Amino acid sequence: MKHTVTQKEKYFWNMMGSFSNALSSMILAIIVNRLTGAELGGIFAFAFANAQLMMTIGAFEVRPLQSTDVNEKYSFSQYFSLRLITCTLMILIDLAYIWFSGYSGVKAYTVFLVCIYKMVEGFTDVFSGMFQQHDRIDLVGRSLTLRIFASTAGFFLVLYATGNLVWASLALGVVSAALIFIYDLRLWKCFDNVNIAVDFRHLLPLVWECLPLFISAFIMMYINNAPKYAIDRMYPDEIQNIYNILFMPAFVINLFSLFVFRPMLVNLTKEWNERDLKPFVKTVKYILLLIIILTILAMGAAYLLGIPILQIIYGVDISGYRTELVLIMVTGGISALSTFMYYVITVMRIQKYLLVGYLSAFAIALFLPGILVKKYIIAGAVYSCAASLIVLTMVFLLIIITNVKYAKREIR
C-alpha cells in the first residue's frame, strides 16, 4: 500500500480502535439494561464474558506473533488457514458448553449468538495482524472503530424496535460479518504480495509457536471470568448484572495503557532483536510506571464519583458497593500490568515461559472463586480475581528481569 501515513495518524486510529473496543461491552450493557431490565442485562453480561473466553480459541493468540513477524517467517495464507480452523473449533466448543450447562430459551440463544459475533471479530483479527505487520496500525483502528460502531448501532435498533434480546444479538454478528466484505477485504487487496489461499499443510510449526500464547490467553481470560462463572452457578442473573456494572470502569486503565504500548511493539521488537537493551528497558519501565499512575487516579475517581455516575448510566441501584468498585480499579491496574508484561515476553520470544505464570494463577482461579463468591458474593468475586492476577504479575516480572539480565551477560 503506497499511501503515506504519519505517526500521529497511526496513534490516533489506534486510540480510536482501542477506545471503541474497550467501550463496546459497556455501551451494549447500558443498552440492554435501559431497554430490557436487570435480568436480561445479567444474561447478556454473562453471554459477552463467555464469548470473550471462546474468542481466545478463535483468535488462538496468533496476532502478537503475526504483527511482530517482520521477517515474514509465515505467509498470510498460513495465518488465514489456521484462523479458519480455530474459529470453527470455537463455535463447536461453545455449542458443547451450552448443551452441558443445560441452558435453554433466551439464555441459550443469546450465549450462542454473542459467541458468533465474537467469532467474526476473531476472524477479522487475522487481517488486523497483517495490517499491523506492515506498520499500518491505523488501518486496524479504522476497521475496529467502524465495525464496533455499526454492529452496536444495529444491536440498538433491533432491540429498540423488537425488545427481543435474541434478535438483537443476531444483528451484532450479521452487521460485523458484513463489514469484512465492505472494508477488510477491500483493504487487503491494496497490499502487494499478500495472497489469500486456503492451505492446511505446514501449519504445525505455526500452531506449536502460538500454542503457549493461546494457552496463556485462555487462562488469562478464564481468570477474569472465573468469578462470573461462579456467580452464574450460584446466584440469579441480576447479581451477575451488578458485578458486570461494577467491573466496567476497570477498562479505562487497560484502554489508556494500550494507547501507549501497542504502537511501540514493533520498535520494542527491533530493540530487543538488536540487543539495544538500554532504550528497551527504559521504555518498559516508563510504561509500567504510567500504568501504576493511571491506576491510582482511577481509584480516586471511582471512590469519589464512580457509584453515582454508574447508577445514572445504567439505572441500577449499586449504592452499597463503593469499596468493591475501588478494589476493582486496583484489579484493573494489575490486569493492565500483566497484559503489558505478556506482550514484552512475546517480543522477547520466550513465550513458553508465559505458562509458568498462567498455570500458577490458573491453579488459584480453579478453586478460589467458588469459595469466596459463595461466602462474600460480589466482594468475593473481586478478591478471587485480584489474587490470581497478583500471582500472575509477579511471575511475569521475574521472567522479564531474569531474561534481561541474561541478555546483558550475553552482550558482555
Side-chain angles (χ1 to χ4, degrees):
M1 181 173 276
K2 297 180 180 179
H3 178 62
T4 302
V5 182
T6 65
Q7 199 66 23
K8 186 179 292 186
E9 286 179 285
K10 292 178 184 178
Y11 270 87
F12 172 78
W13 282 110
N14 175 65
M15 180 184 71
M16 289 297 295
S18 299
F19 184 76
S20 300
N21 191 43
L23 201 62
S24 65
S25 59
M26 185 179 78
I27 297 297
L28 292 170
I30 292 170
I31 292 170
V32 177
N33 272 276
R34 284 294 184 179
L35 295 182
T36 65
E39 183 181 356
L40 289 182
I43 290 174
F44 184 81
F46 177 77
F48 202 91
N50 177 72
Q52 287 179 309
L53 179 65
M54 294 298 145
M55 185 181 160
T56 61
I57 300 170
F60 205 69
E61 276 307 281
V62 174
R63 170 79 173 275
L65 187 69
Q66 182 186 8
S67 62
T68 56
D69 186 10
V70 291
N71 296 320
E72 299 191 19
K73 180 179 179 180
Y74 300 102
S75 68
F76 179 73
S77 292
Q78 287 173 297
Y79 289 119
F80 180 81
S81 300
L82 178 59
R83 195 59 60 94
L84 290 176
I85 296 172
T86 55
C87 284
T88 302
L89 188 61
M90 166 187 176
I91 296 302
L92 294 176
I93 291 173
D94 187 63
L95 284 170
Y97 171 75
I98 293 170
W99 187 78
F100 279 112
S101 298
Y103 297 146
S104 61
V106 172
K107 190 163 189 175
Y109 285 116
T110 303
V111 169
F112 175 68
L113 290 171
V114 175
C115 186
I116 291 288
Y117 166 62
K118 281 294 179 180
M119 183 273 289
V120 174
E121 185 178 321
F123 180 74
T124 57
D125 189 63
V126 73
F127 295 100
S128 297
M130 185 265 290
F131 298 153
Q132 189 173 358
Q133 181 186 15
H134 289 82
D135 200 24
R136 291 302 306 271
I137 198 170
D138 58 298
L139 297 180
V140 180
R142 287 174 188 267
S143 174
L144 195 55
T145 302
L146 178 61
R147 177 171 294 102
I148 289 172
F149 177 82
S151 58
T152 302
F155 179 84
F156 169 75
L157 290 173
V158 173
L159 190 61
Y160 182 79
T162 67
N164 190 309
L165 183 59
V166 173
W167 285 111
S169 300
L170 175 63
L172 274 175
V174 170
V175 175
S176 187
L179 265 295
I180 296 177
F181 300 96
I182 295 172
Y183 191 81
D184 294 279
L185 285 176
R186 181 176 59 84
L187 288 177
W188 156 70
K189 295 177 182 178
C190 298
F191 287 86
D192 297 328
N193 302 319
V194 177
N195 299 311
I196 292 180
V198 178
D199 184 0
F200 297 125
R201 299 171 297 174
H202 314 302
L203 289 182
L204 279 180
L206 177 58
V207 170
W208 186 250
E209 199 163 349
C210 292
L211 189 60
L213 295 174
F214 158 67
I215 295 173
S216 301
F218 184 87
I219 292 175
M220 180 63 180
M221 188 59 69
Y222 180 81
I223 289 169
N224 287 324
N225 282 359
K228 298 178 182 180
Y229 285 108
I231 291 171
D232 184 64
R233 290 194 305 269
M234 300 178 190
Y235 297 103
D237 293 316
E238 289 86 351
I239 299 296
Q240 187 79 255
N241 193 46
I242 291 174
Y243 180 70
N244 184 66
I245 291 170
L246 291 170
F247 220 93
M248 280 298 177
F251 86 91
V252 174
I253 303 168
N254 262 311
L255 173 64
F256 283 102
S257 61
L258 283 171
F259 289 165
V260 176
F261 76 74
R262 261 194 177 167
M264 293 182 177
L265 287 178
V266 174
N267 286 334
L268 275 175
T269 303
K270 291 176 182 177
E271 288 167 358
W272 178 256
N273 290 343
E274 295 167 5
R275 292 301 186 266
D276 196 2
L277 296 180
K278 191 172 181 179
F280 177 84
V281 172
K282 184 178 179 181
T283 301
V284 170
K285 287 182 177 178
Y286 167 76
I287 295 173
L288 291 176
L289 179 61
L290 179 63
I291 292 172
I292 292 170
I293 293 171
L294 286 171
T295 303
I296 294 171
L297 293 173
M299 289 170 61
Y303 181 80
L304 295 173
L305 302 171
I307 294 297
I309 290 176
L310 288 173
Q311 288 188 152
I312 291 170
I313 292 173
Y314 287 91
V316 177
D317 182 15
I318 54 171
S319 55
Y321 296 100
R322 186 186 299 273
T323 301
E324 287 84 352
L325 180 60
V326 174
L327 289 174
I328 282 171
M329 301 313 291
V330 177
T331 303
I334 300 169
S335 177
L337 288 171
S338 65
T339 301
F340 172 63
M341 291 181 193
Y342 162 88
Y343 276 97
V344 172
I345 291 170
T346 304
V347 163
M348 290 173 145
R349 287 298 187 263
I350 52 170
Q351 54 263 37
K352 60 183 178 181
Y353 295 113
L354 289 169
L355 291 178
V356 178
Y358 281 116
L359 289 174
S360 301
F362 185 58
I364 295 173
L366 279 176
F367 72 89
L368 198 59
I371 297 171
L372 294 181
V373 167
K374 185 176 182 180
K375 188 172 183 179
Y376 300 109
I377 314 178
I378 289 176
V382 179
Y383 299 151
S384 62
C385 188
S388 299
L389 288 171
I390 288 170
V391 171
L392 181 66
T393 302
M394 296 306 295
V395 174
F396 278 2
L397 183 60
L398 183 61
I399 291 170
I400 292 170
I401 291 172
T402 301
N403 281 274
V404 168
K405 287 182 177 180
Y406 181 75
K408 287 180 178 177
R409 286 199 299 269
E410 277 188 329
I411 293 172
R412 293 171 189 166

